[in-house]
Amino acid sequence: MQVAEGREDHTVDNRNQGGPILNGLPSQVPDIDPEETEEWLASLDSLIDEGGRSRARYVMLRMLERSRQKQIGVPSLTATDYVNTIGPENEPWFPGDEEVERRYRRWNRWNAAMLVHRAQRPGIEVGGHISTYASSATLYEVGLNHFFRGKDHPGGGDHIFYQGHASPGMYARAFLEGRMSEEELDGFRQQQSHLIDGKPAGLPSYPHPRQLEHFWEHPTVSMGLGPMNAIAQAQFDKYLHNRGIKDTSQQQTWAFLGDGELDEPESRGMLHVAAYEELDNLNFVINCNLQRLDGPVRGNGKIIQELEAYFRGAGWNVIKVVWGREWDALLAKDRDGALVNLMNETPDGDYQTYKGESGGFVRDNFFGRDPRTKAMVENYSDEQIWQLKRGGHDYRKVYAAYKAAFEHTGQPTVILVKTVKGYSLGPHFEARNATHQMKKMTIDDLKLARDHFQIPISDKELEENPKLPPYYHPGPDAPEIKYLQQRRADLGGYSPERRSTYVDLALPGDKAYEAGRRGSGKQTIATTMGFVRVLKDLMRDKEFGKRIVPIIPDEARTFGMDSFFPTAKIYNPHGQNYISVDRDLFLAYKEAMDGQLLHVGINEAGATAALTAVGTSYATHGEPMIPFYIFYSMFGFQRTGDFFWAAGDQMARGFVLGATAGRTTLVAEGLQHGDGHSHLLSSTYPSVISYDPAYVYEISHIVKDGLNRMYGPDDGRDPNVLYYLTMYNEPMVQPAEPEDLDVDGLLRGMYLLKKGPDNGGPKVQLMASGVGVPWALEAQELLEKDWGVSADVWSVTSWTELRRDGLAADDARLLDPEAEPRIPFVTEKLLDASGPVIATSDFMRAVPDQIRQYVPNHFTSLGTDGYAISDTRPAARRYYLVDGPSMATQALISLADTGVIPIDKAAEAAKKYQLDDPRAGASGSTEGAGA
């Protein structure tokens, strides 16, 4: 570095300042006793002079440890040496029979590998992953034999988020447990084509509860979702406990993650929540095999050290399991820290290479880098050096870490475990960059693995059909199998296992929906506010109300839900330990340990994770809880769509409410807030039932129907659904429910709202949803008044459900062409309706276009295609050409196109209504357009 003449260079390179109080020196703290301070500093100098730097460092670390125990407030270390957190002298007694457990762990490894290998047989070749489970088998087996509680445990079952790519290992264990047969294992990734007794009986690729509902409980293989969903699950367990609904004090959540997965922003995105809420019922186990799918996670760095610093900084308890017991003797001899120094300096790329080479290579390229460490292993053979295991493959080291995590209180725990990807599968697999994609084993690979796992299968059996090497099971009476079964029995049953039995749930009666059905009188209210009134009445129900969990990402006031604050209160496990600034107001912000509202902050992903935990409580806890997750509609399926997909996989039940919806209704907020496509996105989720209601009475019927479908005893429909409702912030007079309301049509997707006048003129059909219904009513008036056209107005509550009904009719016809065709509902409704159909909504044209093929009439759609703009509602609706006059003009164009009237009438209308001028728009109010 160039330094100006006459000046000293005092630049500090923070990359080299790895001390425990980085940038935290007490420079602003006055020294009240300088003499005493000098004595302490002199003592440290003396320690360095007499004992050396290593001894001084050790003593300082112990001093920091003790100061933290005494809660002095000294900042903790962000990273420690690259060694095990728990030293051998502090390891607990191991309570199991390690030899017995090792034997069936080997059988598991073999069967898991064979499951994937056999799935590559000619004519099948469906893929799979061998190497992830090979690296993590010990991590799972320690838990399954000693920690993970099943559903029948008196304290309740634990929630285990099994790593997706390790699924073959879970199937292999279920085989040993007698829960799965060889025939079922051979159906891996062949869910419809693999038949047993004439019925599809294949296994899904990953943990998919919806596709194997008695087995899997938590979907994890979409990288990054597992960590957030695990945090939300642990948080929800505390919520249930603090609200007095269920005692969850003994239940733990264990999330198994990959080190490469931690690169996903979602993986680390909620660590602060777990720390702040002191989720000591949560344990992350990160399998640090140092490899992503294609290569090293941190070839030039050290992922364990990076994650340690990150989690410590976030407030987590960190336990590292780096080295197996074979290293203990070497570390005990490392008086001057030479070995630890080597461990600290060696990058992960080299560690990966070492496990892909040999003991001699490790001697030369690791130990040989320092004469002191080279001398440590001079009496070791190359084979002994090769047998220096990593901590994740040592049963006792992993057990010690799990026990420490299980007993730790006040913080969530992360266990960072070093393993080898492809461990025990032979030199072609272990630590190879391509190992994640390797699915087949050669005959030599099979024999090597067979010998390593000590499987009693002969060469002849392997050579007879190398594509289908046999699974191994010693029989249910083998002592190892009896031991395995007893361990699970003592822990409360098998894992993974999913159940869907729950306590009886009494649903609210009709009285709870009366307020929504009677309208708003002369008052103008938005459908969002109307929904809040409906929800408030449901929450007042003495039996059912406590089961409702409103979930809000910091927009309660926007949605008019601040009235819930002083009564239902906001959940906070710490309560409210401050004087609220608005304490004297009627709608004061109120937090409580037993609060009902989950107010997650500006965190839509966390809110959707909470939705999943709450919405699956009927299965995970046997306690039905009803989530009502309300959010800016733009920030739902667009922002956190992958979480909704996982919620569907986990068979969550509940309501997702896209408030402040529409591309022209929340229009003042502009481009990134104006939702005109969420219904198109939600339509791609098979278990999401989407509605775009216009009036509060429609909302009342939809919510009632949703609750009946999810928890009604005799409903008969698939209950594992989420109801998506879009709601608006535009105030209008909410009409009372019509006496002759077609409730069946409302719930199925459309009903005739207002028949056109019998004036003898041309006929058209106007279809609209949501806030577009008033535009259709306006168009109805304009058509009759200005052009003598009679228009029927249909309220379309769900374009998507109408389309699904049509698709079902198509599928039925395809399977049985000679049968009487089933008429789609929308077709049936419009068969006797005269004239062309014009459809509109506050969404893009593709939303109403979903039903185009099922409309028997001439069909045209209007929509808000394009980015949202900032303007008034009337101007925006004229800009997108969806307002009443635009709809009326399109009706005239359609009549002209079908030969009913001349086209000049439509041209006259376009000019009369000034369709080319946004300033001429008048559909809708300007009140409260922003948020």
Side-chain angles (χ1 to χ4, degrees):
M1 179 182 294
Q2 294 292 324
V3 181
E5 185 177 353
R7 295 177 59 190
E8 295 181 8
D9 179 23
H10 296 292
T11 302
V12 176
D13 185 352
N14 284 325
R15 292 173 298 179
N16 298 322
Q17 303 301 308
I21 318 178
L22 181 64
N23 295 327
L25 297 177
S27 58
Q28 301 300 315
V29 179
D31 190 344
I32 60 173
D33 193 341
E35 188 174 332
E36 182 183 34
T37 302
E38 285 302 320
E39 291 177 2
W40 279 100
L41 294 176
S43 179
L44 175 60
D45 291 342
S46 177
L47 179 62
I48 296 171
D49 293 339
E50 295 179 9
R53 297 171 62 88
S54 295
R55 175 62 182 163
R57 185 175 185 276
Y58 175 80
V59 172
M60 287 299 298
L61 290 173
R62 291 302 303 272
M63 293 288 286
L64 282 171
E65 181 181 37
R66 179 58 56 87
S67 67
R68 191 176 185 192
Q69 292 170 352
K70 296 293 185 179
Q71 300 182 3
I72 293 175
V74 175
S76 63
L77 292 169
T78 57
T80 59
D81 283 326
Y82 200 62
V83 294
N84 296 341
T85 301
I86 302 172
E89 68 280 3
N90 294 319
E91 289 176 14
W93 171 75
F94 179 72
D97 188 325
E98 191 172 0
E99 272 307 309
V100 169
E101 294 181 26
R102 179 180 291 113
R103 281 200 291 276
Y104 63 76
R105 186 166 75 249
R106 287 169 172 166
W107 303 341
N108 262 345
R109 289 183 190 272
W110 171 264
N111 289 331
M114 294 309 101
L115 178 149
V116 177
H117 177 80
R118 289 168 68 101
Q120 313 318 309
R121 58 192 181 271
I124 303 296
E125 298 187 272
V126 289
H129 302 286
I130 296 178
S131 294
T132 297
Y133 180 70
S135 70
S136 57
T138 298
L139 309 183
Y140 291 114
E141 284 301 304
V142 170
L144 288 165
N145 287 321
H146 301 284
F147 291 96
F148 303 162
R149 294 170 169 175
K151 302 287 186 184
D152 294 325
H153 192 279
D158 289 344
H159 313 288
I160 317 299
F161 288 70
Y162 291 97
Q163 198 176 358
H165 290 135
S167 62
M170 304 308 108
Y171 293 141
R173 190 175 224 273
F175 171 62
L176 288 183
E177 293 168 337
R179 296 199 287 158
M180 286 186 180
S181 65
E182 289 190 16
E183 290 81 4
E184 288 176 291
L185 296 189
D186 274 349
F188 180 61
R189 293 190 169 196
Q190 305 146 66
Q191 289 182 249
Q192 292 299 314
S193 62
H194 184 77
L195 306 181
I196 298 178
D197 297 330
K199 298 179 181 179
L203 301 176
S205 54
Y206 301 126
H208 295 307
R210 183 168 287 274
Q211 296 178 339
L212 199 62
E213 62 181 74
H214 68 282
F215 192 78
W216 295 117
E217 190 162 38
H218 301 284
T220 57
V221 86
S222 186
M223 296 292 138
L225 270 59
M228 290 187 72
N229 281 332
I231 291 172
Q233 184 65 62
Q235 178 192 48
F236 178 63
D237 282 17
K238 296 275 191 178
Y239 171 92
L240 283 178
H241 186 83
N242 288 334
R243 286 196 59 207
I245 292 173
K246 182 187 178 186
D247 181 359
T248 63
S249 58
Q250 295 185 48
Q251 294 183 262
Q252 296 270 315
T253 295
W254 298 80
F256 286 85
L257 316 170
D259 48 358
E261 181 177 4
L262 268 291
D263 282 346
E264 288 282 5
E266 294 88 350
S267 295
R268 309 188 192 193
M270 277 178 59
L271 300 187
H272 64 291
V273 174
Y276 171 75
E277 298 204 4
E278 299 178 0
L279 298 182
D280 48 15
N281 59 339
L282 173 66
N283 307 287
F284 279 11
V285 181
I286 302 181
N287 177 17
C288 298
N289 56 36
L290 314 185
Q291 293 182 241
R292 291 197 193 103
L293 309 187
D294 291 332
V297 179
R298 295 290 185 272
N300 293 322
K302 300 172 83 65
I303 188 61
I304 288 179
Q305 301 299 85
E306 175 189 318
L307 294 176
E308 178 186 25
Y310 201 95
F311 277 89
R312 283 193 192 279
W316 286 53
N317 175 44
V318 180
I319 300 172
K320 293 195 297 190
V321 184
V322 184
W323 307 113
R325 72 192 71 172
E326 297 82 5
W327 290 87
D328 289 344
L330 292 174
L331 287 166
K333 294 192 297 184
D334 189 29
R335 296 291 183 181
D336 52 7
L339 179 56
V340 171
N341 183 60
L342 269 187
M343 292 172 167
N344 287 338
E345 289 183 346
T346 302
D348 284 352
D350 281 342
Y351 279 123
Q352 181 187 348
T353 299
Y354 296 153
K355 296 312 292 184
E357 296 292 339
S358 64
F361 186 91
V362 175
R363 181 194 302 277
D364 295 338
N365 291 275
F366 179 71
F367 292 105
R369 286 159 48 195
D370 188 310
R372 295 168 295 180
T373 54
K374 184 176 182 180
M376 284 183 182
V377 294
E378 59 186 0
N379 294 323
Y380 280 50
S381 67
D382 288 350
E383 178 62 21
Q384 285 177 299
I385 291 176
W386 187 246
Q387 293 303 322
L388 293 168
K389 290 197 300 289
R390 294 181 178 175
H393 305 303
D394 188 311
Y395 227 61
R396 294 178 184 269
K397 302 296 185 184
V398 175
Y399 178 86
Y402 284 14
K403 189 171 189 294
F406 183 80
E407 295 173 350
H408 188 77
T409 59
Q411 289 175 293
T413 294
V414 60
I415 305 172
L416 304 170
V417 192
K418 189 176 184 181
T419 65
V420 179
K421 197 162 189 176
Y423 179 74
S424 72
L425 295 179
H428 293 153
F429 283 83
E430 286 189 350
R432 300 297 175 183
N433 277 336
T435 191
H436 186 78
Q437 301 300 331
M438 295 169 66
K439 310 169 192 311
K440 299 179 181 180
M441 303 178 76
T442 66
I443 187 65
D444 290 336
D445 292 330
L446 291 170
K447 290 179 179 180
L448 281 171
R450 183 268 321 269
D451 293 343
H452 180 79
F453 296 138
Q454 301 178 18
I455 307 296
I457 295 174
S458 67
D459 285 354
K460 181 180 179 182
E461 291 175 281
L462 293 178
E463 293 166 354
E464 185 176 350
N465 188 350
K467 304 291 186 184
L468 291 171
Y471 299 110
Y472 179 71
H473 196 303
D477 295 327
E480 295 88 351
I481 300 301
K482 288 185 174 181
Y483 177 99
L484 174 152
Q485 299 283 23
Q486 188 61 51
R487 293 306 308 133
R488 288 314 311 160
D490 291 346
L491 287 165
Y494 295 120
S495 179
E497 182 187 19
R498 183 183 182 274
R499 299 179 185 176
S500 57
T501 54
Y502 46 83
V503 300
D504 291 336
L505 183 62
L507 296 177
D510 289 341
K511 186 177 181 180
Y513 303 96
E514 284 181 357
R517 296 169 62 182
R518 62 172 174 255
S520 63
K522 295 181 180 181
Q523 183 185 12
T524 59
I525 65 170
T527 50
T528 299
M529 182 60 72
F531 160 76
V532 171
R533 292 182 179 181
V534 173
L535 182 60
K536 187 178 292 186
D537 285 347
L538 289 174
M539 292 174 68
R540 287 183 178 134
D541 187 285
K542 290 184 179 179
E543 295 299 321
F544 179 80
K546 67 180 181 181
R547 303 245 170 219
I548 292 176
V549 184
I551 303 171
I552 314 165
D554 202 35
E555 289 285 0
R557 298 185 192 279
T558 303
F559 308 140
M561 296 182 71
D562 44 345
S563 59
F564 289 13
F565 291 168
T567 52
K569 301 183 181 64
I570 297 162
Y571 172 72
N572 188 323
H574 306 298
Q576 183 166 309
N577 301 313
Y578 59 90
I579 301 173
S580 177
V581 68
D582 60 0
R583 63 192 179 281
D584 295 330
L585 299 181
F586 181 67
L587 300 182
Y589 194 84
K590 184 64 177 178
E591 299 179 78
M593 285 184 64
D594 60 349
Q596 191 167 358
L597 279 66
L598 279 179
H599 192 284
V600 299
I602 305 175
N603 184 1
E604 285 88 1
T608 317
L611 163 78
T612 304
V614 177
T616 57
S617 181
Y618 72 93
T620 55
H621 288 290
E623 295 282 352
M625 303 296 289
I626 319 296
F628 281 83
Y629 170 31
I630 185 167
F631 51 90
Y632 258 103
S633 62
M634 186 70 161
F635 307 138
F637 288 92
Q638 173 169 298
R639 181 178 290 243
T640 57
D642 201 7
F643 282 93
F644 283 112
W645 194 262
D649 190 350
Q650 198 168 329
M651 292 180 282
R653 303 176 185 177
F655 296 85
V656 288
L657 308 152
T660 54
R663 190 152 281 165
T664 70
T665 306
L666 184 69
V667 73
E669 294 288 293
L671 186 147
Q672 288 194 211
H673 287 67
D675 168 29
H677 53 283
S678 68
H679 274 287
L680 198 62
L681 298 175
S682 70
S683 72
T684 65
Y685 294 73
S687 62
V688 173
I689 313 299
S690 303
Y691 286 99
D692 186 28
Y695 300 122
V696 178
Y697 69 77
E698 294 178 351
I699 292 174
S700 295
H701 281 287
I702 292 166
V703 171
K704 180 182 177 182
D705 179 69
L707 291 173
N708 284 331
R709 177 167 181 168
M710 295 168 202
Y711 292 106
D714 304 311
D715 187 86
R717 294 172 291 175
D718 178 9
N720 302 316
V721 292
L722 294 170
Y723 272 47
Y724 176 52
L725 284 71
T726 41
M727 304 176 304
Y728 301 86
N729 72 326
E730 182 172 3
M732 65 180 71
V733 172
Q734 293 294 328
E737 177 182 312
E739 291 185 4
D740 59 346
L741 177 65
D742 177 8
V743 176
D744 178 66
L746 184 160
L747 296 175
R748 294 181 68 179
M750 63 180 288
Y751 68 96
L752 182 60
L753 176 66
K754 187 176 181 181
K755 192 169 179 59
D758 188 10
N759 59 10
K763 289 283 293 184
V764 295
Q765 306 298 316
L766 305 181
M767 303 181 72
S769 68
V771 78
V773 168
W775 315 336
L777 293 171
E778 179 187 3
Q780 183 187 50
E781 293 182 8
L782 293 174
L783 286 166
E784 198 273 332
K785 177 170 66 75
D786 295 342
W787 313 102
V789 173
S790 176
D792 295 338
V793 174
W794 300 81
S795 177
V796 179
T797 52
S798 180
W799 307 100
T800 301
E801 288 305 295
L802 292 176
R803 175 173 176 78
R804 288 175 176 172
D805 175 76
L807 292 175
D810 289 347
D811 289 345
R813 182 94 192 274
L814 186 61
L815 291 171
D816 191 357
E818 293 182 331
E820 183 71 22
R822 182 171 76 76
I823 300 176
F825 185 71
V826 64
T827 309
E828 178 186 335
K829 283 292 186 180
L830 293 173
L831 276 176
D832 297 326
S834 301
V837 173
I838 297 88
T840 195
S841 73
D842 209 7
F843 291 85
M844 57 195 297
R845 288 178 177 86
V847 174
D849 280 353
Q850 292 179 93
I851 67 168
R852 179 181 290 272
Q853 72 193 79
Y854 304 112
V855 175
N857 317 51
H858 181 281
F859 181 87
T860 306
S861 64
L862 303 177
T864 56
D865 292 72
Y867 285 117
I869 62 171
S870 297
D871 212 309
T872 66
R873 290 191 186 109
R877 287 160 185 171
R878 177 55 54 86
Y879 170 78
Y880 288 109
L881 298 175
V882 293
D883 59 359
S886 298
M887 203 172 188
T889 304
Q890 180 58 60
L892 297 174
I893 293 173
S894 297
L895 286 170
D897 289 345
T898 53
V900 177
I901 65 172
I903 193 64
D904 62 350
K905 292 293 184 182
E908 183 182 345
K911 185 176 181 180
K912 174 183 177 67
Y913 300 136
Q914 298 176 268
L915 294 191
D916 61 345
D917 187 357
R919 294 171 297 177
S923 296
S925 73
T926 58
E927 182 184 346

